Amino acid sequence: MPVSPAMAENLAAAVSSLYEQAELALIDRVTRALAEGLDSPRWVDLKLGALGNLRAAIEEIITALQADASSAIHQALTEAYDRGQQAAILELGAVATGPALAAAEAVPAAAAVDRLAAALVQETGPAHLRMLRTGLDVYRMVVAEASAAPLLGATTRREAAGRALARFADKGVTGFVDRTGRAWNLTSYVEMATRSAVGRAAVEAHTDRLAAAQVDLVVVSDAPEECGRCKPWEGKVLRREGPPGAGMVEVEHATEDDRMVSVRVAGSLAEARTAGLLHPNCRHTVSIFLPGVTRPRPKPPSRATYEQTQEQRRMERQVRAWKRRAAAALDDDKRRAANAKVRAYQGRIRELVSETGLPRKSHREQIGAAR
């Protein structure tokens, strides 16, 4: 059975959902703390005096998140690794026999899973401190802006607070930068990191088993709606490990002893992955290549362009953003306006999937639920 990051993609949802729920709880807690007594002339003094209560409430959210996230991360990576190794064993069962197959089935998994889980826990760890700092900073900022607005004659305290909270709902907890320098908010960052980790676990488990069975060559599928990073590797044969670079290799025929065949290798699997192959959301798979036996498979028909798939994801993000804006609204009018935006973007998504045949992914339009 071929391996792909997509085979473990759903496992990341359990982890990212925990962080999104925590972020929504943070937004809700800050909003309720600020809304209480908003029309009181002593509002500023009351809010500054309640800062310690807010800190305690946020720390309670973070403590619960830390306990749940550590368990969810380990569980997700364990399942992802298991899926990858089972995919390899199914493939090897059709082509390997005796010692090679037995060796593949005997590869231990616990150490690899622990290593991958520890790396992800470390990568997501700064999120907890950032949540506390952001929650308190937003609270102070809203108090400052809302108290100054009436003095300046610009607007009412409620409108100023509503604007500031809307910005918070839009951005969420920010300040996360990946290795490429791209900035993320909390939920998107954790989702990206977890999807990368579970995909890596599935692929690594697959290649660990192929290595134990002494399988050296793999082939990349030809997938529809591919992105520019993956397209150069479609249908190409890769070395499971070894140096980068393309070239011809002489290998023994998969089913005929002592018969050698020439195979053009496009590079190593590590080289292809560094270039972008098997990234999160990648539709490509990698499977065993049998010299002299494996033949190219026809490319499945595309339902849409890659750009259209990305447009669908953009509109899904907009649906979630406006739902967050509704959650942070201080009054019914703002909440109704945000919900109207949600319905408008959902209508545009329905039009796109009707036009292209792309599947509607309603779960990706939800907040506080697994995506």
Side-chain angles (χ1 to χ4, degrees):
M1 179 180 176
V3 70
S4 167
M7 73 180 350
E9 186 176 276
N10 65 312
L11 298 173
V15 178
S16 61
S17 177
L18 289 174
Y19 281 86
E20 185 169 48
Q21 289 170 9
E23 189 175 36
L24 288 170
L26 174 63
I27 292 171
D28 176 70
R29 191 65 187 83
V30 171
T31 300
R32 287 192 291 113
L34 291 166
E36 186 176 0
L38 187 59
D39 297 320
S40 169
R42 297 186 57 244
W43 180 78
V44 174
D45 292 336
L46 292 172
K47 295 304 105 177
L48 293 177
L51 190 60
N53 294 336
L54 178 63
R55 173 186 285 272
I58 296 174
E59 288 175 343
E60 186 176 342
I61 293 171
I62 293 170
T63 299
L65 173 62
Q66 287 176 316
D68 292 342
S70 179
S71 175
I73 284 172
H74 201 279
Q75 184 175 343
L77 286 167
T78 299
E79 177 63 22
Y81 198 89
D82 184 63
R83 291 182 186 182
Q85 66 182 2
Q86 290 303 317
I89 290 170
L90 286 173
E91 274 201 295
L92 290 166
V95 299
T97 58
L101 181 57
E105 292 178 340
V107 174
V113 170
D114 288 344
R115 171 175 50 80
L116 291 165
L120 182 55
V121 167
Q122 183 177 13
E123 190 171 0
T124 56
H128 307 137
L129 181 60
R130 190 73 185 174
M131 285 179 65
L132 176 62
R133 178 177 175 180
T134 298
L136 296 177
D137 285 351
V138 168
Y139 182 88
R140 294 189 186 98
M141 177 196 69
V142 173
V143 171
E145 289 190 14
S147 59
L151 298 177
L152 298 173
T155 183
T156 67
R157 179 190 296 164
R158 182 174 295 274
E159 289 171 342
R163 273 203 312 274
L165 286 170
R167 290 198 300 271
F168 180 34
D170 285 347
K171 295 181 179 180
V173 180
T174 58
F176 302 94
V177 180
D178 63 19
R179 297 181 184 89
T180 67
R182 181 179 175 184
W184 302 77
N185 67 15
L186 170 67
T187 303
S188 297
Y189 177 78
V190 171
E191 183 177 22
M192 176 275 297
T194 308
R195 285 160 71 91
S196 297
V198 295
R200 186 163 57 248
V203 174
E204 186 172 312
H206 187 270
T207 54
D208 285 348
R209 262 89 194 137
L210 298 192
Q214 299 181 345
V215 173
D216 295 323
L217 299 180
V218 295
V219 61
V220 181
S221 67
D222 199 348
E225 300 143 28
E226 73 276 21
C227 71
R229 291 182 295 168
C230 298
K231 192 169 184 177
W233 304 100
E234 287 192 318
K236 299 297 176 60
V237 177
L238 302 172
R239 289 183 291 271
R240 177 181 47 76
E241 59 182 17
M248 299 296 297
V249 296
E250 291 289 319
V251 292
E252 188 175 21
H253 194 282
T255 59
E256 300 179 23
D257 293 341
D258 300 325
R259 178 185 169 189
M260 304 300 288
V261 294
S262 297
V263 177
R264 179 165 186 79
V265 175
S268 69
L269 181 58
E271 176 186 4
R273 295 188 67 187
T274 299
L277 182 67
L278 302 181
H279 58 79
N281 301 321
C282 184
R283 296 176 174 84
H284 293 87
T285 63
V286 172
S287 57
I288 293 173
F289 178 80
L290 302 176
V293 175
T294 301
R295 295 289 180 266
R297 296 180 179 179
K299 185 183 184 73
S302 294
R303 296 163 297 188
T305 64
Y306 175 74
E307 289 71 23
Q308 286 172 319
T309 67
Q310 297 308 293
E311 174 63 11
Q312 181 180 4
R313 294 182 66 82
R314 186 191 70 80
M315 290 191 290
E316 291 166 350
R317 289 193 295 271
Q318 288 296 319
V319 169
R320 298 198 301 270
W322 284 104
K323 285 184 176 181
R324 290 161 62 92
R325 179 76 71 91
L330 285 175
D331 56 62
D332 291 340
D333 288 342
K334 294 288 193 301
R335 191 172 297 109
R336 280 192 291 268
N339 286 330
K341 286 285 191 179
V342 170
R343 292 191 293 273
Y345 275 105
Q346 288 176 329
R348 291 170 62 180
I349 292 174
R350 286 193 294 271
E351 291 175 1
L352 178 65
V353 300
S354 176
E355 174 189 342
T356 61
L358 288 169
R360 174 83 179 270
K361 299 181 180 180
S362 298
H363 62 286
R364 294 198 58 84
E365 301 168 24
Q366 305 304 314
I367 60 172
R371 292 202 300 276

